[in-house]
């Protein structure tokens, strides 16, 4: 039995964070039903393959929630659900009758609202790129290699949803909370803000055993952070101590693929960059 078997989720969240969060809940055993507008989820157009993967095993219905017949179908779904997941701004939820005050008609329904920013700024427009840029996680002229805030925000939505359901079990009352994507970006920035990953800091290139090195072909990432890993790496390379220059010379002698296989045999945290 999966841990969330029996939990019933309804989602009207479009684009990326909501579907990622609901796929995670599905994988944990929850039953998920999704309501999309008549035109569908824009994410299906952007990335159809991933859309299909995220919606595997999820019942998808297309309803016009701006019309009464759409609500006639939605209401029984909400009445039987434990959790509603949304990703619309507050004014849109109010127009759809899915704001916290309106949802009081369902006395068991918890509600996690994925928002861009925390209240009272939850109506401010934004997307992954702007949340990351606001917290100094975007370099000029370089697009981020993935959607960090969206993916971290999806996990934040899942943990928030589970906290709400647990609280309902203790109190008997439905719970509601927001899961702001900008807060997920802010949390991602904390190692940098505290100096841990700043240039030259212990995890920012200052430690020889936790660094990137060019190999004869390609590059490798070495993460021999703990003393036992550092000692094992030094012994395996016949080095008295780990230094940037010594490791650069050693790793430059063989291709990255060689070093990855070599490290696996010795239980060392080292991989080739893809």
């Amino acid at each position: 039995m999966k841990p969330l078997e029996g939990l019933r989720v309804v989602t009207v969240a479009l684009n990326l964070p909501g579907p990622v969060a609901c796929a995670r809940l599905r994988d944990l055993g929850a039953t998920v039903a999704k309501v999309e507008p008549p035109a569908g989820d824009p994410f299906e157009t952007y990335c159809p393959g991933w859309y299909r993967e995220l919606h595997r095993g999820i019942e998808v219905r297309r309803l016009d929630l701006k019309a009464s017949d759409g609500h006639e179908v939605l209401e029984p779904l909400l009445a039987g659900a434990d959790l509603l997941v949304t990703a619309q701004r507050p004014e849109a939820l109010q127009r759809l009758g899915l704001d916290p005050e309106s949802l009081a008609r369902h006395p068991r329904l918890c509600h996690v609202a994925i928002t861009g920013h925390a209240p009272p700024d939850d109506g401010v427009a934004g997307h992954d790129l702007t949340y990351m840029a606001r917290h100094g996680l975007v370099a000029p002229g370089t697009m981020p290699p993935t959607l960090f805030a969206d993916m971290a925000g999806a996990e934040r939505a899942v943990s928030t949803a589970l906290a709400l359901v647990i609280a309902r079990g203790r109190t008997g009352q439905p719970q509601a909370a927001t899961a702001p994507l900008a807060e997920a970006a802010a949390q991602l920035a904390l190692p940098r803000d505290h100096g841990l990953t700043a240039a030259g800091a212990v995890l920012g290139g200052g430690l020889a055993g936790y660094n990137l090195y060019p190999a004869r072909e390609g590059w490798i990432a070495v993460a021999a952070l703990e003393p036992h890993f550092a000692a094992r790496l030094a012994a395996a390379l016949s080095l008295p101590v780990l230094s940037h220059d010594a490791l650069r010379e050693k790793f430059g002698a063989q291709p990255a693929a060689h070093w990855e296989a070599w490290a696996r045999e010795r239980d060392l945290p080292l991989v080739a960059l893809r």
Side-chain angles (χ1 to χ4, degrees):
M1 180 177 179
K2 293 185 176 181
L4 295 186
E5 279 189 25
L7 187 77
R8 291 163 295 181
V9 179
V10 174
T11 176
V12 295
L14 307 178
N15 292 311
L16 188 59
V20 170
C22 289
R24 178 79 170 126
L25 293 170
R26 173 207 63 199
D27 291 344
L28 290 169
T31 299
V32 182
K34 184 183 181 186
V35 173
E36 297 181 353
D41 188 334
F43 182 55
E44 186 175 11
T45 302
Y46 305 149
C47 196
W50 195 14
Y51 172 91
R52 289 191 296 272
E53 179 182 327
L54 291 176
H55 291 79
R56 173 181 45 81
I58 291 176
E59 178 189 4
V60 178
R61 302 191 188 192
R62 291 190 174 181
L63 302 173
D64 185 358
L65 297 183
K66 298 176 183 178
S68 59
D69 56 348
H71 272 278
E72 289 175 3
V73 178
L74 177 64
E75 281 304 299
L77 293 175
L78 295 178
D82 298 287
L83 175 70
L84 172 66
V85 179
T86 65
Q88 291 84 351
R89 288 191 272 179
E91 59 270 23
L93 291 178
Q94 191 168 32
R95 288 195 300 270
L96 296 173
L98 298 177
D99 56 295
E101 292 75 18
S102 300
L103 288 174
R105 65 188 184 271
H106 296 292
R108 293 189 68 259
L109 186 65
C110 295
H111 175 203
V112 58
I114 300 172
T115 61
H117 302 274
D121 296 324
D122 44 349
V124 176
H127 269 299
D128 183 277
L129 186 61
T130 57
Y131 310 138
M132 298 285 288
R134 177 180 292 272
H135 291 284
L137 297 174
V138 178
T142 304
M143 291 294 288
T146 190
L147 300 172
F148 291 104
D150 281 355
M151 298 304 291
E155 285 298 321
R156 176 176 285 250
V158 170
S159 60
T160 300
L162 297 182
L164 298 180
V165 173
I166 291 171
R168 187 193 66 179
R170 291 203 314 266
T171 67
Q173 299 298 316
Q175 308 289 323
T178 59
L181 300 175
E183 287 190 357
Q187 190 170 38
L188 291 175
L190 286 176
R192 188 275 323 276
D193 294 345
H194 286 279
L196 192 60
T197 57
V202 63
L203 300 185
L207 192 67
Y210 192 94
N211 224 312
L212 303 176
Y213 292 96
R216 194 174 72 194
E217 297 172 11
W219 285 70
I220 60 170
V222 185
L225 181 60
E226 293 84 354
H228 67 281
F229 279 136
R232 190 181 305 162
L233 178 62
L237 292 173
S238 301
L239 292 174
V241 294
L242 297 180
S243 71
H244 293 84
D245 290 341
L247 290 178
R248 194 173 294 110
E249 181 180 354
K250 289 283 188 179
F251 291 135
Q254 296 287 347
H258 163 85
W259 290 117
E260 184 171 292
W262 175 88
R264 190 178 298 116
E265 293 173 356
R266 292 162 177 78
D267 188 31
L268 286 168
L270 182 158
V271 299
L273 270 65
R274 269 55 174 180

